[in-house]
Amino acid sequence: MTPTEAVEHAIRSRRAIRGFLPDPVDPALLRHLIDLAAQAPSGTNMQPWKLRVIGPSTRTRLEAALIASLDSPDLPAAEEYRYYPETFREPYLSRRRKLGWDLYGLLGVVRGDKAGMRRQTEANLRFFDAPVALMLTIDRDLEIGSWLDLGMFLQNLLIAAQGHGLDSCPQAIFARFHPVVRRELAIPEQEIVVCGIAIGKADPSASANRLVPEREPVENFTTWLD
Ligand SMILES: Cc1cc2nc3c(=O)[nH]c(=O)nc-3n(C[C@H](O)[C@H](O)[C@H](O)COP(=O)(O)O)c2cc1C
């Protein structure tokens, strides 16, 4: 593969993976991927990203606490940041609905199937059983520009993983559970929990991994000015 083909392949073949094999990831490779991610650009080179690699004992505690919290009346807590608009409008509403129903269709979860939805939430909170579980945070006093930088770090990490034969899923679900994540990972108040990241090898037998969300054609979102 030429370098061009390799870059294109890593970008095109990456998918949000929702079922992983238990095969471990070499810690040296993980460190290398994080170093690659940190080559992301950032405004005035602020490098605002903060990452936690969640080891086995912390992870066991975190996942147990998160799943227990599903039955707690205190959740959901107030959001620390809004990922989604309060009211979805077109064209975003249709795209979101399509993604949801395509995913739940593959999982065999029908409308109103609370147990099925709960299963998927728990799988999400278990990092879809990926061998690597990460948590991305940002200092609360930083501005929107730094959140752009964080997105570039995140994408670099996903693409670097893909280039090294590893699959991934960015997971905003953890932001909804920020009080539990903060407590279990001892994250100081000055940081906002942005998202989790699962990395590992995709489980080919997991039906959710057959999902291939489409993209809009370039012409639908690009204006060519003369
Ligand atoms: C920041 C971020 C957070 C996400 N959080 C979740 C999540 O919590 N659970 C999940 O199943 N997918 C999550 N996704 C995956 C998106 O649903 C997915 O990227 C989108 O549907 C496009 O699919 P693709 O990544 O396979 O191309 C997240 C994606 C991003 C970028």
Side-chain angles (χ1 to χ4, degrees):
M1 233 190 273
T2 66
T4 310
E5 287 166 345
V7 171
E8 284 213 14
H9 183 261
I11 293 173
R12 281 218 190 265
S13 61
R14 185 212 55 79
R15 293 270 76 82
I17 289 302
R18 300 181 177 88
F20 289 84
L21 296 172
D23 310 16
V25 172
D26 177 1
L29 174 57
L30 177 59
R31 174 174 287 275
H32 179 65
L33 297 178
I34 296 169
D35 182 51
L36 283 171
Q39 305 312 306
S42 59
T44 63
N45 199 25
M46 281 173 66
Q47 306 170 65
W49 37 81
K50 288 190 170 158
L51 190 67
R52 284 172 178 79
V53 180
I54 305 171
S57 64
T58 307
R59 177 148 169 200
T60 305
R61 265 195 298 106
L62 172 66
E63 292 181 2
L66 286 167
I67 286 165
S69 79
L70 288 175
D71 300 313
S72 147
D74 304 342
L75 276 171
E79 287 176 306
E80 287 200 291
Y81 76 92
R82 291 200 68 91
Y83 194 134
Y84 301 108
E86 203 163 336
T87 328
F88 273 86
R89 63 162 171 85
E90 292 302 339
Y92 311 111
L93 180 63
S94 299
R95 292 178 192 161
R96 172 183 167 85
R97 282 201 176 133
K98 175 159 175 43
L99 188 272
W101 291 118
D102 285 353
L103 175 60
Y104 283 117
L106 284 170
L107 293 167
V109 176
V110 293
R111 193 186 280 266
D113 176 0
K114 287 203 171 130
M117 302 257 189
R118 164 83 181 227
R119 264 199 315 280
Q120 188 59 11
T121 300
E122 290 194 13
N124 222 323
L125 293 175
R126 287 196 317 271
F127 295 88
F128 300 115
D129 297 325
V132 172
L134 307 174
M135 201 63 66
L136 188 59
T137 69
I138 190 168
D139 280 336
R140 196 178 291 279
D141 55 346
L142 296 186
E143 300 291 347
I144 293 175
S146 291
W147 287 70
L148 289 180
D149 304 339
L150 221 66
M152 290 189 243
F153 174 90
L154 175 60
Q155 174 72 343
N156 261 5
L157 184 57
L158 308 184
I159 296 303
Q162 196 72 22
H164 281 267
L166 292 171
D167 302 285
S168 61
C169 190
Q171 297 180 267
I173 191 173
F174 294 102
R176 265 172 44 204
F177 293 80
H178 61 91
V180 181
V181 174
R182 180 179 305 289
R183 187 184 69 224
E184 298 301 330
L185 302 189
I187 296 172
E189 275 300 326
Q190 85 206 36
E191 290 173 46
I192 295 181
V193 175
V194 178
C195 67
I197 308 156
I199 296 180
K201 283 243 178 240
D203 177 352
S205 73
S207 51
N209 292 343
R210 296 206 306 270
L211 185 67
V212 182
E214 287 166 8
R215 296 299 193 267
E216 290 290 313
V218 171
E219 294 303 336
N220 286 12
F221 58 87
T222 308
T223 308
W224 307 86
L225 301 168
D226 59 15

